[in-house]
Amino acid sequence: MNRGIPAFDRNTLGAAVAACAMLFATGAAYALDAADRAAIKTEIGKRHDEALKRLQDWIALPSIAAENRNSKEGAEYMARLARDAGFQKVEIVETSGKPGVFATLDAGAKKTVGLYFMYDVKQFDPAEWSSPPLEAKLVDKPGIGKAVVGRGAVNQKGPEAAFLAALHAIKGAGKKMPVNLVLVAEGEEEIGSPHIGQIALKPEVQKALAKTIGVFMPSAQQDLDGIVTVSLGAKGVVELELVSSGEKWGRGPWKDVHSSLKAMVDSPAWHLVKALDTLVSTDGNTITIENYPKPTPLSAEEKAMIATAVARKSEAQAKKQMGVQHWIDDLPWLEANERLESQPTVNIEGLVGGYTGPGGKTVLPHKAVAKIDMRLVPGMTLKDAVAALKAHLAKRGFGDIEVNVSGGYDPTQTAASAPLIQAQVAVLKRAGIDPVLWPRNAGSYPGYVFTGAPLKLASGHFGLGHGSGAHAPDEYYVIESSNPKVEGLDGAVLSFVDYLYELGK
C-alpha cells in the first residue's frame, strides 16, 4: 500500500550506495549513509500504525486555551510524548497562564537544535464537521488520498507527531541521533502566546536554547501541486477586544432595554461601530489609526523573492482555495502578494452584541464587543501598535471603549543564509524539490521569542507532507497520499530524519 514514501527514496540499496559514493566524490556527502538511512526508512514503515495511532490519540485530547479546556492534561500529555520519544529531561513549566513543557535530548552530538511545539488547538463546532473533530477518522479525499480529519490534524499535531515518529524510528533502527534537541512547547499559541516568554526565557530554558543553532517548528509545507515554500519569518499579531458598554461610557443603558427607547437613549453598539469606522479607510483596507507604527518597506531582495514565487504559483488556484474573486483594489497577482507581505492589517474577527438568535428581539443592547486582530510587519511592535490604538480612540471621543489585549507578539525574521534555513533548502533539493523562498508568513507564530533579544536565534518551519483546514471545519492531514507530488505520513517522517542529519553535519 502506498503510504506516500518519496519517489526519490524508491531506489534499490545498491543504487543509493552508488549515488552516495558519487556524492562523496564531489565533496557533498550525506551526513547519514545510505545503509543507515535505508534501515531508518524500513523502521518508519514498521511503525506506521503506531505513529498514526499516536496522532489519533493526541487529537482525541483537545487543549483549547480560549475555553480553559484540558490545558493541564494537554501539558502532561505533551510531556509524556516527549519522554516516549527519547527526551531524557522533561519538565512542565508553570506560567501565569497555561503550562508549557521544556525538554532536552542529549545525544552527545556536536550540534544542538531547538524545537517549538504547540499542544493547543482552535475551538470547533462539531455541527460544522462532516467527520467528528475528535475522532480523527481516516477519510478518503479524492485526488489526495487517505487523511486524518480532526481538530489539530495539521495545526499542528500532525506534523509534530510525524517529527516524534522520526525520533522513534531513529532509535528503533539502533542509529545515533545526529543532534541534541531542546524542546519548548506551549498551550496558548491559539490565543496569541501571551506567556511564551515565561517558558522560553526562564533561565534554565534560555541557557539551553542559547546553545542551539536555531529553532524550528514541524510543519506540512507541501501544496497540492507539490510546491514547498520556505518562509523566512512571520508577521506579528495583536489579539484584542474592543468593548463598548453603557456602564463604562456613562451613556446608554446599563442593561438591555426595549428598542423603542432608542429615541431617547444612546446606543453602546452604535458607539462601537462609529469607533471602528475611524480605524480604517472607507473601503476598510487602509489603516487610519493616528501615529500608527510604519512598516519597513520591502527590500529589493524581498521583492525579487516574491516575484520568483508568484511566477510559480497559480492565481486561479489561490482564488479558488480562498473563495474570492478579487484582490483588494483589483490588484494584479504580483502586487497583491507584495501587499500581503508588506502591509499590516486591522481585521474584525467577530462582532457580538445584543440578540443574535432566530427572528428579531427588539432590544437596545447595553454592551457590544468587537474581536480584533492586528497583523504586524517588520518595523512595528505590539507595544507601539496598542499604544497608538488607545491614543487614537481617546482623541476621537472613544476613550471609554475598553481595549483588552489577550495576546500577541512582534514580527520575526531570519536570514536566508542561516544554517537552519540552508539545511532545509539542501534537503529539499536533494529530494528533487526546488523550494520557493518567501519573506514571511502572512499568519503568525511566536518566533519573535527566539529571533529577538536576548536569544537572537534563527527560526523557521520545516516538513514535507500536506494538510489543510487549520482553524476551519474538516481540518485534515494526509496519511496515505494518492498524489505523487505530495508525501504521506511516512514521507513526512523521513523528511524530518533527513533534516536532522543535515543539521548535524
Side-chain angles (χ1 to χ4, degrees):
M1 183 179 294
N2 175 21
R3 286 175 175 155
I5 298 297
F8 66 88
D9 192 52
R10 299 192 189 105
N11 300 317
T12 63
L13 181 58
V17 171
C20 188
M22 183 171 67
L23 286 168
F24 269 107
T26 60
Y30 283 104
L32 176 66
D33 68 44
D36 283 352
R37 188 170 184 274
I40 295 172
K41 174 201 152 196
T42 299
E43 190 71 13
I44 291 170
K46 288 179 180 178
R47 291 173 175 265
H48 174 90
D49 293 342
E50 167 194 310
L52 173 58
K53 186 176 187 305
R54 186 181 300 115
L55 172 57
Q56 290 173 317
D57 289 347
W58 200 2
I59 290 173
L61 177 65
S63 298
I64 304 176
E67 298 176 348
N68 293 315
R69 183 176 179 183
N70 293 333
S71 294
K72 179 176 180 290
E73 295 84 353
E76 291 171 346
Y77 199 82
M78 180 72 253
R80 192 181 101 189
L81 289 173
R83 290 189 191 97
D84 291 346
F87 287 83
Q88 300 103 334
K89 180 179 179 180
V90 181
E91 172 189 345
I92 292 179
V93 181
E94 297 297 334
T95 75
S96 300
K98 314 305 180 190
V101 176
F102 165 55
T104 57
L105 189 159
D106 185 355
K110 292 182 179 180
K111 294 183 179 179
T112 301
V113 175
L115 294 166
Y116 167 75
F117 273 35
M118 53 184 278
Y119 67 80
D120 65 315
V121 298
K122 265 294 183 190
Q123 306 94 308
F124 57 86
D125 179 356
E128 298 175 343
W129 292 61
S130 64
S131 182
L134 300 184
E135 292 186 14
K137 290 182 177 179
L138 272 181
V139 174
D140 285 313
K141 299 188 77 66
I144 296 175
K146 291 185 182 296
V148 160
V149 174
R151 176 52 86 224
V154 70
N155 182 27
Q156 251 342 99
K157 291 179 177 178
E160 291 171 349
F163 179 85
L164 295 173
L167 302 186
H168 283 277
I170 292 170
K171 182 179 179 181
K175 306 306 174 184
K176 180 176 172 58
M177 273 286 295
V179 293
N180 311 309
L181 297 174
V182 176
L183 169 68
V184 172
E186 68 161 323
E188 297 181 317
E189 198 280 341
E190 297 293 11
I191 60 169
S193 304
H195 301 102
I196 184 65
Q198 294 181 21
I199 305 169
L201 301 182
K202 184 179 178 181
E204 181 185 10
V205 183
Q206 181 180 325
K207 183 179 179 181
L209 286 170
K211 298 176 182 178
T212 69
I213 61 173
V215 181
F216 83 94
M217 184 181 195
S219 184
Q221 293 182 293
Q222 289 183 292
D223 293 336
L224 288 175
D225 55 11
I227 290 177
V228 173
T229 300
V230 174
S231 291
L232 303 178
K235 288 185 177 181
V237 69
V238 185
E239 292 209 42
L240 58 85
E241 289 183 340
L242 297 180
V243 182
S244 174
S245 67
E247 301 95 313
K248 188 72 180 287
W249 187 17
R251 306 187 66 85
W254 61 269
K255 63 179 181 179
D256 289 3
V257 297
H258 196 279
S259 65
S260 65
L261 296 173
K262 181 65 194 75
M264 61 188 293
V265 177
D266 289 307
S267 166
W270 276 117
H271 187 55
L272 177 62
V273 169
K274 296 299 182 181
L276 291 171
D277 195 41
T278 71
L279 305 183
V280 293
S281 56
T282 302
D283 60 9
N285 296 329
T286 301
I287 298 171
T288 55
I289 299 171
E290 189 171 348
N291 295 321
Y292 203 62
K294 301 299 182 185
T296 301
L298 292 172
S299 67
E301 180 184 9
E302 288 173 327
K303 285 188 174 183
M305 217 180 278
I306 294 168
T308 299
V310 164
R312 294 179 56 186
K313 293 188 175 186
S314 167
E315 180 178 16
Q317 182 178 321
K319 284 182 173 178
K320 181 179 179 182
Q321 185 175 346
M322 296 178 201
V324 301
Q325 298 181 32
H326 303 274
W327 307 124
I328 283 177
D329 297 329
D330 289 314
L331 289 172
W333 182 223
L334 174 59
E335 284 82 350
N337 277 275
E338 288 182 342
R339 195 180 196 285
L340 176 70
E341 290 298 281
S342 65
Q343 294 304 302
T345 62
V346 172
N347 175 60
I348 299 175
E349 298 177 355
L351 288 170
V352 184
Y355 180 71
T356 59
K361 183 180 180 184
T362 50
V363 295
L364 191 166
H366 77 288
K367 181 179 179 180
V369 179
K371 292 182 177 290
I372 301 288
D373 66 65
M374 305 191 300
R375 303 284 170 174
L376 311 175
V377 295
M380 308 174 71
T381 67
L382 178 150
K383 181 180 178 182
D384 290 345
V386 172
L389 172 63
K390 290 180 176 179
H392 171 94
L393 291 173
K395 185 175 180 179
R396 280 156 182 76
F398 300 105
D400 60 280
I401 291 180
E402 298 174 55
V403 180
N404 299 327
V405 177
S406 58
Y409 39 79
D410 297 343
T412 178
Q413 196 76 18
T414 292
S417 58
L420 191 83
I421 302 299
Q422 286 301 302
Q424 294 182 17
V425 173
V427 170
L428 293 169
K429 287 189 173 181
R430 191 175 297 129
I433 298 169
D434 183 18
V436 172
L437 291 180
W438 195 243
R440 66 190 61 89
N441 292 331
S444 307
Y445 84 108
Y448 84 99
V449 79
F450 308 119
T451 61
L455 288 167
K456 296 185 178 180
L457 296 166
S459 184
H461 297 70
F462 179 79
L464 294 185
H466 171 78
S468 188
H471 298 195
D474 291 341
E475 178 181 355
Y476 71 87
Y477 179 68
V478 175
I479 302 299
E480 299 176 13
S481 178
S482 61
N483 179 347
K485 297 179 179 179
V486 170
E487 303 302 337
L489 175 60
D490 290 0
V493 175
L494 189 58
S495 75
F496 290 121
V497 172
D498 285 336
Y499 187 42
L500 289 173
Y501 279 91
E502 182 69 26
L503 288 168
K505 282 184 177 180

